[in-house]
Amino acid sequence: MNIAATDCPAYTDYLPHKAHLDYRDDGSMIFRSDYPLDPIVSNTGEWLHRWAATAPDSLFLSERNGAGWRDLSYAEVLSQVRAIAASLLARGLGASTPIVILSGNSIDHALLSLGAQYVGVPVVPVAEQYSLIPEAHPRLVYVLSKVRPALVFTENAGTYAAALALPELSAVEVVASRIDGAPRPVTPFADLLTATPDRALDVAHARVGPDTVAKILFTSGSSSDPKGVLTTQRMMCANQAQIASVLPFLKARPPRIVDWLPWNHVFGGSHNLNMMLAHGGTLVIDTGKPTSAGFPTSVENIRARADTMSFNVPVGYSMLLTAMEEDPALREAFFADLDLIFYAGASLRQEVWTRLEEFALEIGGRRPLMVSSWGLTETAPACVMLHEPVTRSGLIGVPLPGVEVKLIPDPDLRCEIRVRGPNVMPGYFEDPVKSVAAFDEEGFFITGDAVRFVDPAHPERGLIFDGRVSEDFKLTTGTWVQAGRLRMEALEALRDLVQDVVICGHDRGEVGLFIFPKPDHVHGQNTSEGAVIDPILQYEIEMVLREMARHATGSAKRISRALILAEPPSLKDGELTDKGSLNVRKIITRRADLLERLYDNEDPGLIRV
């Protein structure tokens, strides 16, 4: 049920959902927003020039620097971006000579990326673990071989020495902010700032238009080898116009975020960074993350420079909530000036949602707008967004202005979702076969995801994410298993017991479950043959699965057997993506022997439900 604006003091500057459905003769539906789309700039440089001219001293980028902070205003960023762009032109770089970025978020990373975009040089940010974990080097080699970079950047040459020593980089210029410990000659990043902008720079920048490729972002590879998404200026600029069209407070005052989300992913690198740039906002680069080692750093940064908008994944909010329960000062810092809480990547647990709202009311007497969104790397990313107040977690909202959503329903009222709009990619890098296959005959991008309506009688109430159509399979009875939805249900039921699960059963008679336990539940040698699983854990999992089975309606929704896997997902063997998600196809293929054990009723490790 929607909340009236008068009930919540924070909800004074939002646009309620306005969207409509068109029903088509073939049974599909087209879902569109009723709001007009804001004007779209031609390239990200327009934003930078606008704010450098109108608010030159406003803070744009900030990061920790020893005991203090390194801060750059919009005027300073524009000056350094133009110098870097001139240096890239002097090296002969252009549209066909990408720059690969090995390290994570930093001011120098942002400056290089914006400098490259300024003159039409694509940047390719890759996951840090591809460079830092030797077992993941094959993923890095795959990307390097695919894009053939003309330049590689890393924040710290010593930290990334093993990656820089790869033969695939032997003839490539390496630029680093810190060069100590480099395994080979390295160009200091400061050298890029010495070039003098000239008319050639202005001419090159003038050629950068909507179709210019700004980035090549590699997908996580959850179902196949990573694909390079051609991310154009139009995609990024249109997406910010689409979001601003339904979040008017973005235009009311410059936003400020403290953000850790990695820039090799579209959420952090395109959605969040560009949102600050588009609206003259401030991005405080958080070098922490929601892990036991990194979270204290995030807390320190929130205390020092709190957000007006918060972007995070559900586990991040859960950790933040736990910390705030014991720390009133942290609660005060986080909620004092907060307009919005945005979560993505998974559904936020309702108890976390509720407690965050309670804290917000306690601190400021108002609730921030709590929203989510849906999209992919291929859509830059937001296509569907929740932009009105609601009382529950799990909703993803309605189409953004300028996005056409095609919904193809099944008899269970679950819909495959496809999208078309200016924020959708033109194709994959040097992969014409997959590029063609990615779109249907009407030009809609085939996402492979499924959604359903909150209320089919009132489509403007929005959509709920409902798993992956591409993960669904049939049992030998011919019954379809909605694997994505069933996996989410299993994870929710088992959330305190397991790390992750895989739904199995393609061409089998029953649905089975591979279970990856939490590391502290595995004892001894960490292999499937040599490790010992905590017997109490086995019993507790069996009880949870029995309770799930008791409420299941039909064989497609009933998990009948499970096997606990001692060996964790392998990044080296492609079972784990850089986002930490599972490559289900690779797991089932690589562990074919365990799949046979899962369906062997005599196996001693089998949990039979």
Side-chain angles (χ1 to χ4, degrees), residues 339-361:
D339 291 325
L340 176 139
I341 291 176
F342 185 108
Y343 69 92
S347 183
L348 187 67
R349 290 166 57 183
Q350 187 61 38
E351 56 265 36
V352 175
W353 171 294
T354 301
R355 193 66 177 127
L356 288 171
E357 283 197 329
E358 290 172 349
F359 276 152
L361 288 169

Side-chain angles (χ1 to χ4, degrees), residues 135-172:
E135 291 79 10
H137 280 177
R139 283 291 180 99
L140 176 59
V141 169
Y142 173 83
V143 172
L144 295 172
S145 301
K146 186 82 173 176
V147 303
R148 304 176 299 280
L151 187 146
V152 167
F153 168 77
T154 180
E155 187 74 17
N156 189 317
T159 301
Y160 290 81
L164 297 179
L166 290 170
E168 287 77 11
L169 292 178
S170 60
V172 179

Side-chain angles (χ1 to χ4, degrees), residues 66 208 233 288 291 386 407 606:
V208 176
Q233 292 278 353
T291 63
L386 179 68
L407 300 172
L606 181 67

Side-chain angles (χ1 to χ4, degrees), residues 197-209:
D198 55 16
R199 175 165 172 72
L201 173 65
D202 295 329
V203 170
H205 178 59
R207 294 196 188 106
V208 176

Side-chain angles (χ1 to χ4, degrees), residues 54 203 307 315 385 403 515:
T54 61
V203 170
D307 332 49
V315 67
M385 179 174 282
V403 175
I515 294 174

Side-chain angles (χ1 to χ4, degrees), residues 53-273:
T54 61
D57 297 326
S58 292
L59 180 61
F60 176 22
L61 298 173
S62 179
E63 68 182 0
R64 289 276 183 179
N65 183 22
W69 292 86
R70 178 186 178 190
D71 295 330
L72 290 182
S73 69
Y74 275 91
E76 290 169 325
V77 169
L78 177 59
S79 175
Q80 295 186 33
V81 161
R82 284 175 56 81
I84 290 167
S87 291
L88 299 180
L89 290 179
R91 287 165 165 76
L93 271 63
S96 61
T97 53
I99 297 171
V100 166
I101 300 176
L102 301 181
S103 52
N105 305 2
S106 69
I107 285 182
D108 287 350
H109 179 155
L111 292 173
L112 178 59
S113 183
L114 291 170
Q117 291 177 35
Y118 196 85
V119 287
V121 180
V123 294
V124 189
V126 297
E128 289 182 272
Q129 53 265 47
Y130 287 2
S131 299
L132 296 176
I133 302 174
E135 291 79 10
H137 280 177
R139 283 291 180 99
L140 176 59
V141 169
Y142 173 83
V143 172
L144 295 172
S145 301
K146 186 82 173 176
V147 303
R148 304 176 299 280
L151 187 146
V152 167
F153 168 77
T154 180
E155 187 74 17
N156 189 317
T159 301
Y160 290 81
L164 297 179
L166 290 170
E168 287 77 11
L169 292 178
S170 60
V172 179
E173 181 182 9
V174 173
V175 173
S177 300
R178 293 186 290 278
I179 64 174
D180 292 346
R184 46 166 294 177
V186 172
T187 301
F189 180 82
D191 286 5
L192 299 184
L193 300 174
T194 60
T196 302
D198 55 16
R199 175 165 172 72
L201 173 65
D202 295 329
V203 170
H205 178 59
R207 294 196 188 106
V208 176
D211 294 320
T212 303
V213 174
K215 303 178 184 180
I216 303 171
L217 292 176
F218 277 82
T219 61
S220 60
S222 59
S223 59
S224 61
D225 283 330
K227 300 182 289 289
V229 175
L230 295 170
T231 303
T232 65
Q233 292 278 353
R234 176 186 287 106
M235 292 167 62
M236 297 193 303
C237 296
N239 205 222
Q240 292 306 321
Q242 290 166 328
I243 295 168
S245 299
V246 297
L247 295 181
F249 57 81
L250 284 171
K251 294 172 280 189
R253 66 165 176 166
R256 181 177 66 253
I257 61 174
V258 178
D259 197 48
W260 65 270
L261 289 157
W263 293 346
N264 62 292
H265 295 161
V266 69
F267 186 10
S270 293
H271 186 284
N272 294 357
L273 191 155

